[in-house]
Amino acid sequence: MNPLEVVRNIATAVAALIALAAFVLSWRALSTTANVARAQLYLELRKRFAEINDQLPRKIEKDYHTPQWHPTLKEDPIDFPKIEKYWYHAFDEWFTIKMLHPRGFHKLWTLFFERAVFEGLKNVPIRYVLYRMVEDNRTSFSGRRKEFVQDLTAVYKKYVKKGIFDGFKEYDAQKAVGSTPTMR
């Protein structure tokens, strides 16, 4: 092998090492950027949730934690829209994480938002407003209502082993005939 070939081979090897180092550095930078984007998204969603949560009803008779309260737009024209906002925001969280970039944001869903959604679903008034939104055809959730409700149902069943709307049709039927509705 002549000296020119040796120099060419060394130069090729050095160029390959430089290219490999550039690739590794680019990959790390891209990974860091993606992590920062996920953290920023989380913070933005939580900020908006805090704003909505501050508006949720917390009166003695009409508190979003009170299982006996079943808000309707007719009977609760001020509080019902406040809880609706909760569901529009929950949809935004779900859509952003599960639809826009499911692979990149999957961890956000599994580590936090899935359980956070369940914590909201534990509250009968919040669940009932969602039920009314669906039953009364108040929203299509941007054409994703079926998928959104299916995912919410799966989350709820994971922890409670029943559907998110179980008992609400019976409650409405009892109320419609003038009897005192009960929930199980």
Side-chain angles (χ1 to χ4, degrees):
M1 189 180 298
N2 72 33
L4 193 54
E5 285 181 18
V6 169
V7 169
R8 189 175 19 186
N9 288 341
I10 290 172
T12 302
V14 168
L17 286 173
I18 290 171
L20 179 62
F23 174 77
V24 169
L25 290 173
S26 296
W27 182 261
R28 288 198 59 176
L30 182 61
S31 177
T32 300
T33 301
N35 287 335
V36 168
R38 281 190 286 276
Q40 186 62 39
L41 173 66
Y42 169 79
L43 294 173
E44 286 297 318
L45 291 172
R46 295 311 296 161
K47 178 182 173 194
R48 182 67 184 131
F49 171 78
E51 293 166 0
I52 291 168
N53 188 50
D54 285 345
Q55 297 173 15
L56 290 176
R58 289 180 172 83
K59 294 171 247 150
I60 291 173
E61 293 296 316
K62 296 182 177 182
D63 183 297
Y64 76 95
H65 295 101
T66 306
Q68 297 79 19
W69 182 39
H70 293 75
T72 63
L73 187 57
K74 182 180 177 185
E75 295 171 1
D76 305 287
I78 293 171
D79 293 326
F80 189 91
K82 292 176 182 178
I83 299 174
E84 267 187 325
K85 282 183 187 177
Y86 172 91
W87 284 115
Y88 288 121
H89 178 70
F91 173 78
D92 290 344
E93 291 173 339
W94 173 85
F95 186 80
T96 302
I97 293 168
K98 301 270 293 196
M99 296 290 147
L100 287 182
H101 198 32
R103 281 184 18 171
F105 293 120
H106 177 74
K107 269 186 168 179
L108 275 178
W109 182 259
T110 58
L111 293 176
F112 181 78
F113 284 104
E114 180 183 276
R115 184 63 192 207
V117 164
F118 171 70
E119 292 300 322
L121 287 169
K122 288 191 316 188
N123 299 292
V124 171
I126 288 178
R127 237 180 26 254
Y128 189 75
V129 167
L130 177 64
Y131 168 74
R132 290 276 37 111
M133 291 171 75
V134 170
E135 284 296 303
D136 299 343
N137 218 11
R138 291 187 52 78
T139 181
S140 71
F141 288 110
S142 301
R144 301 281 185 171
R145 180 173 57 201
K146 183 179 178 182
E147 298 103 311
F148 180 52
V149 171
Q150 283 175 339
D151 275 3
L152 294 176
T153 299
V155 167
Y156 193 67
K157 281 185 174 182
K158 179 177 178 179
Y159 297 101
V160 180
K161 310 295 186 236
K162 67 180 190 174
I164 58 174
F165 300 146
D166 286 1
F168 290 152
K169 283 192 188 305
E170 295 80 4
Y171 175 90
D172 286 349
Q174 291 172 0
K175 190 173 179 180
V177 297
S179 67
T180 304
T182 58
M183 285 291 297
R184 290 182 209 139

